[in-house]
């Protein structure tokens, strides 16, 4: 939920009138698909069809996203990678002029912009990730201290 709540702050241009944010993941398998299903479910209540998830290697598919957009009033699609860095896959699979998500949405009549920033480059998500890493580190240190205390008691 924390991730979903930060979407408007992280991608303000996508939430304007007639806009939609499509986040592209990478990878295949049940773990990726279940994580995307959880994100999709969490984003439905606050954002509806204005936030969609696409996985070129599996589900949810680009066709699913297009069918959800049909009749929604969305005119502009902002594509962004659901990855730490906007590297090779973002450039090739998402933003390339041909054979990419961008080209599919453009051919379907949408105005498309590509946000070439990974999650680690967006301040709202960088703060969230660092906070979680600090908390995990603190838990690990406390666990070690407890183990040492128990061992030398």
């Amino acid at each position: 939920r924390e991730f979903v709540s930060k979407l408007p702050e992280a991608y303000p241009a996508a939430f304007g009138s007639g806009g939609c944010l499509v986040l592209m993941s990478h990878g295949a398998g049940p773990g990726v698909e279940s994580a995307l299903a959880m994100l999709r479910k969490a984003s439905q209540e606050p954002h509806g069809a204005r936030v969609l998830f696409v996985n070129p290697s599996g589900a949810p598919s680009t066709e699913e996203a297009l069918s959800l957009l049909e009749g929604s009033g969305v005119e502009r699609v902002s594509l962004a990678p659901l990855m730490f860095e906007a590297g090779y896959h973002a450039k090739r699979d998402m933003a390339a002029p041909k054979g990419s998500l961008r080209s599919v949405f453009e051919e379907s009549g949408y105005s498309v912009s590509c946000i070439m920033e990974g999650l680690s480059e967006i301040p709202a998500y960088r703060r969230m990730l660092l906070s979680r890493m600090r908390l995990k580190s603190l838990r690990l240190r406390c666990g070690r201290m407890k183990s040492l205390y128990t061992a030398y008691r």
Side-chain angles (χ1 to χ4, degrees):
R1 296 205 189 272
E2 183 181 8
F3 176 86
V4 170
S5 72
K6 294 185 182 306
L7 289 171
E9 177 188 350
Y11 305 102
F15 285 87
S17 177
C20 172
L21 175 64
V22 177
L23 292 161
M24 183 194 82
S25 73
H26 176 66
V32 172
E33 291 178 11
S34 65
L36 290 174
M38 287 186 335
L39 284 170
R40 183 175 172 182
K41 184 176 179 179
S43 69
Q44 286 305 301
E45 184 183 321
H47 305 300
R50 296 187 62 183
V51 175
L52 300 174
F53 299 89
V54 171
N55 183 354
S57 308
S61 68
T62 307
E63 292 76 24
E64 269 185 78
L66 287 169
S67 70
L68 289 169
L69 288 177
E70 201 171 297
S72 68
V74 168
E75 301 166 355
R76 294 178 300 99
V77 171
S78 298
L79 297 174
L82 186 58
M83 305 170 206
F84 285 111
E85 294 293 325
Y88 175 76
H89 291 290
K91 291 174 188 162
R92 185 192 70 182
D93 300 334
M94 185 185 84
K98 293 181 182 177
S100 67
L101 282 179
R102 173 184 157 192
S103 65
V104 171
F105 281 100
E106 286 175 341
E107 289 167 8
S108 297
Y110 296 97
S111 170
V112 178
S113 62
C114 294
I115 301 166
M116 298 304 291
E117 289 183 313
L119 297 175
S120 66
E121 301 168 276
I122 298 170
Y125 291 115
R126 188 170 45 241
R127 284 190 301 273
M128 183 182 85
L129 291 167
L130 288 172
S131 172
R132 291 192 174 215
M133 288 168 46
R134 285 185 196 109
L135 183 60
K136 182 70 173 174
S137 174
L138 181 61
R139 285 183 182 150
L140 287 172
R141 283 186 295 207
C142 288
R144 281 192 210 118
M145 294 297 284
K146 185 176 177 184
S147 297
L148 286 171
Y149 174 77
T150 305
Y152 292 104
R153 206 162 124 196

